[in-house]
Amino acid sequence: MIRALAYWLFRYRRTWQGTVVVSVANPLLFLLAIGAGLGSLVRGDVEGVSYLQFFAPGMLAAAAFQNAFIDAGFGVASARGRERVYQTAVATPLSPGEVMGGHLLFVALRVFVGALAFVVVMALFGLVSSAGTALALLLAATLTGVAPAAAVAAWAVTVTDFPRLNTVFRFVVMPMYLFSGTFFSVGQLPAALQTIMYALPLWHGADLCRSLALGTATPGMTLLHVAYLGVLGAVGVLIGRVTFRKVLHV
């Protein structure tokens, strides 16, 4: 697994500068344009806080979720398909499980770096109250991205055409991105849609990050969110061990 991770880190050496710049620029622009800009037009508070305070932690979770899908979805499909990285890897002593594990560790690292940059920008806006809060937000956002990434990778390794990934991104990821409590409270949705959103991983991640940022987290809800995301990640890994072994014919 570590050898598989080392390969992805070796590739990352050529592009990390650009990705770090983007990781800082994206949250900065989002918080300026939507949080501070559009937020100034929002009348009154949202769930008892300013729109910027409401929006920033939700956007942190949504960005981690989206980045994880891109890296675990398109990255895995490309490594199995046109790049044939996986086929080369399993020709060595690496097993399909180690190939999957190494790639998921790399995805986790990428999500962590992106979340770290976002939390730093939030701190510059005065949205992080302490170092402990910053650490909690960083871990929560990383979990929000890594948990579904395992399931996405388990499916993406079976995908042979990129249009399928684009379709899922457009009709599954983006609706979650928009309606899981990132830009407005889920309580404003119709009751039926609220029930659906509450069952999806991004709502759990957004609510976890927001409660930690605002200091409203309770042990019960925090445990619920962490357990949900943890179980999702574990199930994704178990399924991935099967799909990777089947696709790579080992």
Side-chain angles (χ1 to χ4, degrees):
M1 184 184 300
I2 299 302
R3 285 181 295 172
L5 172 63
Y7 165 77
W8 293 106
L9 291 176
F10 178 79
R11 287 182 41 153
Y12 191 50
R13 288 171 56 189
R14 296 178 297 174
T15 60
W16 72 269
Q17 295 96 333
T19 59
V20 169
V21 170
V22 171
S23 295
V24 174
N26 279 349
L28 182 62
L29 292 174
F30 266 114
L31 294 183
L32 282 173
I34 299 180
L38 181 62
S40 65
L41 304 177
V42 177
R43 296 181 179 179
D45 295 336
V46 181
E47 296 188 355
V49 297
S50 70
Y51 185 72
L52 182 59
Q53 289 175 300
F54 174 87
F55 169 75
M59 191 64 220
L60 167 65
F65 182 86
Q66 179 176 292
N67 291 340
F69 179 88
I70 292 173
D71 284 342
F74 292 92
V76 167
S78 179
R80 182 260 169 140
R82 60 192 179 195
E83 294 184 9
R84 299 187 65 81
V85 171
Y86 289 164
Q87 289 85 337
T88 302
V90 294
T92 72
L94 289 174
S95 68
E98 290 174 316
V99 171
M100 178 190 71
H103 203 162
L104 285 179
L105 285 176
F106 176 70
V107 171
L109 176 64
R110 292 263 291 151
V111 172
F112 179 86
V113 171
L116 176 61
F118 206 118
V119 171
V120 169
V121 174
M122 285 178 62
L124 295 177
F125 277 79
L127 299 172
V128 180
S129 59
S130 66
T133 300
L135 178 60
L137 283 172
L138 179 58
L139 295 176
T142 302
L143 178 61
T144 301
V146 172
V152 171
W155 166 70
V157 76
T158 68
V159 174
T160 56
D161 58 324
F162 271 62
R164 288 178 62 190
L165 289 163
N166 291 324
T167 299
V168 172
F169 184 81
R170 184 177 301 136
F171 294 109
V172 177
V173 175
M174 288 310 298
M176 275 196 279
Y177 186 88
L178 294 173
F179 299 115
S180 291
T182 303
F183 298 96
F184 56 86
S185 173
V186 172
Q188 296 178 252
L189 295 171
L193 284 179
Q194 289 183 40
T195 302
I196 294 173
M197 291 300 112
Y198 290 146
L200 297 177
L202 183 50
W203 176 79
H204 286 274
D207 194 65
L208 176 61
C209 289
R210 183 171 292 118
S211 64
L212 292 171
L214 300 179
T216 59
T218 62
M221 286 303 296
T222 300
L223 179 61
L224 173 65
H225 295 321
V226 171
Y228 176 100
L229 294 170
V231 169
L232 175 62
V235 170
V237 169
L238 292 175
I239 296 174
R241 291 179 65 87
V242 174
T243 56
F244 268 71
R245 188 179 300 113
K246 181 178 179 180
V247 168
L248 298 178
H249 306 296
V250 177

